[in-house]
Amino acid sequence: MTDDFAHAGTDRSPDDMLAPDLDDQTVEALGKLSEALEWVERSRGALYDFHQKIGHADLTLGDAIELFEKAGHTEQAELLRTTLLGRNVLPGRWTYQIMEEYDTGYWSVFRDVEQAARDALAGGRKHVFEARMKADERTRAGREVWADGA
């Protein structure tokens, strides 16, 4: 076993990652499922980014309100405070609540079902499609499949 697999936290041989027991269509389907999960993960990141940006905006709004008050614009400060400060971004929800609902109602379910498919069809192996693609590309390029370096 090469160092790159030892560091990857797997006790599988590199060649086992190619899942020679699986047909190409199953590997392709698992690859598409993995890609879908990656997009779900990216979407989760975008939601966290949104959550943090809205939080920052609300804190910055608080600073603006204080500055308007100090400048003597109490009416404007009061309008901002009562209309925007701490406002729900969706009916009844702050962004942390959206995150919690996404995590429990979609993201974790998607991850569990993807894991179940990999367990049932590929012995839990991840990235079989990509491992085969690496083997094909490196072979086509005249490189050893699992060699370290370029």
Side-chain angles (χ1 to χ4, degrees):
M1 186 178 324
T2 61
D3 287 339
D4 56 335
F5 273 87
H7 294 298
T10 180
D11 57 358
R12 296 184 187 279
S13 73
D15 290 331
D16 186 49
M17 294 303 298
L18 298 175
D21 54 317
L22 292 180
D23 63 276
D24 290 343
Q25 285 183 316
T26 300
V27 170
E28 186 176 359
L30 288 168
K32 284 294 182 184
L33 180 58
S34 175
E35 181 183 356
L37 176 59
E38 290 171 6
W39 281 101
V40 167
E41 295 284 4
R42 291 179 69 176
S43 298
R44 183 174 185 254
L47 281 175
Y48 271 90
D49 189 46
F50 171 72
H51 163 65
Q52 291 175 341
K53 286 177 177 177
I54 291 295
H56 184 84
D58 195 62
L59 293 174
T60 303
L61 175 64
D63 293 343
I65 291 168
E66 286 181 27
L67 290 170
F68 277 120
E69 287 174 335
K70 287 180 183 177
H73 304 292
T74 56
E75 188 175 313
Q76 190 64 42
E78 187 61 21
L79 176 63
L80 293 170
R81 179 181 293 105
T82 59
T83 305
L84 295 176
L85 190 65
R87 186 178 180 89
N88 292 324
V89 295
L90 293 175
R93 288 180 184 80
W94 271 24
T95 56
Y96 79 90
Q97 293 167 301
I98 297 167
M99 296 308 311
E100 288 178 1
E101 289 178 29
Y102 179 81
D103 280 355
T104 59
Y106 190 78
W107 173 74
S108 62
V109 174
F110 202 112
R111 287 173 45 102
D112 290 347
V113 172
E114 186 270 345
Q115 175 72 52
R118 279 190 295 105
D119 289 346
L121 300 172
R125 289 173 285 206
K126 292 182 178 182
H127 300 108
V128 175
F129 181 83
E130 290 88 342
R132 286 189 181 183
M133 185 171 30
K134 176 181 180 176
D136 290 345
E137 292 274 325
R138 290 183 65 87
T139 299
R140 198 172 65 160
R143 293 187 179 94
E144 290 184 41
V145 173
W146 304 116
D148 289 336

